[in-house]
Amino acid sequence: MELLLPHASNSTPLTVLGFLDRAASVYGDCPSVLHSPNTVHTWSETHNRCLRIASALTSSSLGINRGQVVSVVGPNVPSVYELQFAVPMSGAILNNINPRLDAHALSILLRHSESKLVFVDHNSISLVLEAVSFLEKHEKPHLVLLNDDQEDDSSSASDFLDSYEGIMEKGDSRFKWIRPQTEWQPMVLK
């Protein structure tokens, strides 16, 4: 037994990402998200959407590299749920931030985590813009608007790189997600 070293055939890191793969293949036609009459996704659709976001995160336009931090400021909505899978699938580290924090505390979390990208719910726009204003120019992350329950808001569009759905449109559903090499690699900040 001492000669049995970890190898791809006998040792695979256990993560929640394997759960999504299995759910998509076994329960593909079953609902995974029921948010409103207009938002119902099956496990296959959720898997596809997560792959597209992960692909877009690693693209040259966003340029998120393995081990970089992507933050999310928003409530429990479908896009935030999908980001729980998509960000780790891209090899990045997910940082969920409570939207009830004040701008100063939020800016400290963004600075300390060295977030490169922040997904922002439409209800938290002013909070995040104020928090980002406290950061030095080289510390400011790119912002992406989450608009699950809201029409596109063009009033603050200049502060945002794109919308969640806009980024998803640029992604590839055939993306081969980046698997962690070991269970010791971080996927989420707490």
Side-chain angles (χ1 to χ4, degrees), residues 111-189:
R111 179 180 291 124
H112 182 69
S113 67
E114 299 178 4
S115 290
K116 302 297 180 202
L117 184 70
V118 182
F119 287 91
V120 182
D121 181 68
H122 62 91
N123 292 320
S124 301
I125 290 174
S126 60
L127 169 71
V128 173
L129 291 177
E130 183 182 352
V132 168
S133 73
F134 296 137
L135 301 174
E136 299 292 327
K137 185 175 182 178
H138 69 278
E139 296 175 321
K140 292 185 180 190
H142 293 292
L143 304 176
V144 175
L145 182 62
L146 299 174
N147 45 8
D148 287 79
D149 299 325
Q150 190 77 6
E151 294 298 319
D152 285 336
D153 182 17
S154 57
S155 64
S156 60
S158 63
D159 298 312
F160 289 85
L161 189 62
D162 204 341
S163 70
Y164 182 79
E165 293 296 330
I167 286 178
M168 185 176 302
E169 287 175 12
K170 298 172 190 166
D172 182 4
S173 63
R174 297 176 313 245
F175 177 69
K176 299 294 182 209
W177 56 275
I178 300 170
R179 297 181 185 276
Q181 294 164 338
T182 71
E183 290 179 15
W184 291 98
Q185 287 182 314
M187 292 174 56
V188 179
L189 294 179

Side-chain angles (χ1 to χ4, degrees), residues 16-17 19-20 31-35 38-55 57 70-72 74-90 92 94 96 119 145-148 163-169 177 187-188:
V16 296
L17 303 179
F19 166 80
L20 180 60
S32 69
V33 174
L34 302 169
H35 181 63
N38 300 333
T39 307
V40 178
H41 297 299
T42 65
W43 282 109
S44 291
E45 291 169 337
T46 298
H47 186 257
N48 181 293
R49 291 171 61 85
C50 291
L51 287 173
R52 290 171 59 194
I53 288 292
S55 167
L57 288 173
V70 173
S71 294
V72 179
N76 191 11
V77 293
S79 59
V80 173
Y81 166 72
E82 291 168 354
L83 287 167
Q84 305 306 301
F85 296 107
V87 172
M89 286 173 127
S90 73
L94 178 67
N96 289 304
F119 287 91
L145 182 62
L146 299 174
N147 45 8
D148 287 79
S163 70
Y164 182 79
E165 293 296 330
I167 286 178
M168 185 176 302
E169 287 175 12
W177 56 275
M187 292 174 56
V188 179

